[in-house]
Amino acid sequence: MRIAPLMLLALFSWGLAQPRIVTVDDLKAALANPKVLVIDVRTPQEFAQGHVKGAINWPLQEIERWWSRVPKDRPVYIHCNTQNRSAVAVQYLMGKGYQNLNLVNGGIQAWMSRKYPITR
């Protein structure tokens, strides 16, 4: 059986080019690791209303300014309000060669619905 080159490329890319989608429970557990970096891509105004303790605020609209500061040797968790902007950020970073990315499903809304603490 012969697989068409484009189909093989699509399968290969699909396997390697997918971020790890994690829950807020996974994020909460990961925070015990001091090497974990949490990036909140919401606006500064949204971030000020409440965020995950230790998260840094690098807004999606400024990604071209900060993307090169994301470490490639540490686990990185990216979230926003729900998951839309963080998915865009993850795809952008993957296009720049990042692989150790975790997309937080549901974002800060899911975090707060679990009654996990936020910092202001």
Side-chain angles (χ1 to χ4, degrees):
M1 179 173 151
R2 203 168 160 220
I3 297 177
L6 286 177
M7 180 177 254
L8 183 59
L9 179 60
L11 288 172
F12 182 73
S13 297
W14 180 79
L16 293 178
Q18 296 298 314
R20 184 169 169 235
I21 300 174
V22 300
T23 66
V24 292
D25 300 325
D26 297 326
L27 172 58
K28 187 170 189 306
L31 293 175
N33 179 351
K35 291 187 176 192
V36 163
L37 175 66
V38 180
I39 301 172
D40 185 325
V41 297
R42 297 178 298 150
T43 66
Q45 295 80 12
E46 291 171 301
F47 186 79
Q49 292 174 1
H51 56 273
V52 175
K53 184 177 181 179
I56 57 174
N57 183 220
W58 286 345
L60 176 62
Q61 61 268 34
E62 298 174 10
I63 196 167
E64 290 184 10
R65 290 184 24 207
W66 58 257
W67 74 266
S68 63
R69 296 188 300 193
V70 177
K72 289 188 175 182
D73 62 343
R74 295 169 52 186
V76 176
Y77 288 74
I78 300 178
H79 78 88
C80 61
N81 192 48
T82 56
Q83 185 179 321
N84 297 327
R85 288 173 282 180
S86 54
V88 171
V90 165
Q91 290 293 33
Y92 182 92
L93 291 169
M94 288 173 58
K96 298 290 188 182
Y98 287 83
Q99 296 180 3
N100 202 8
L101 302 173
N102 298 279
L103 176 59
V104 181
N105 188 26
I108 198 73
Q109 291 299 317
W111 181 269
M112 291 188 307
S113 76
R114 300 286 286 165
K115 307 266 189 260
Y116 291 149
I118 58 171
T119 299
R120 288 190 166 92

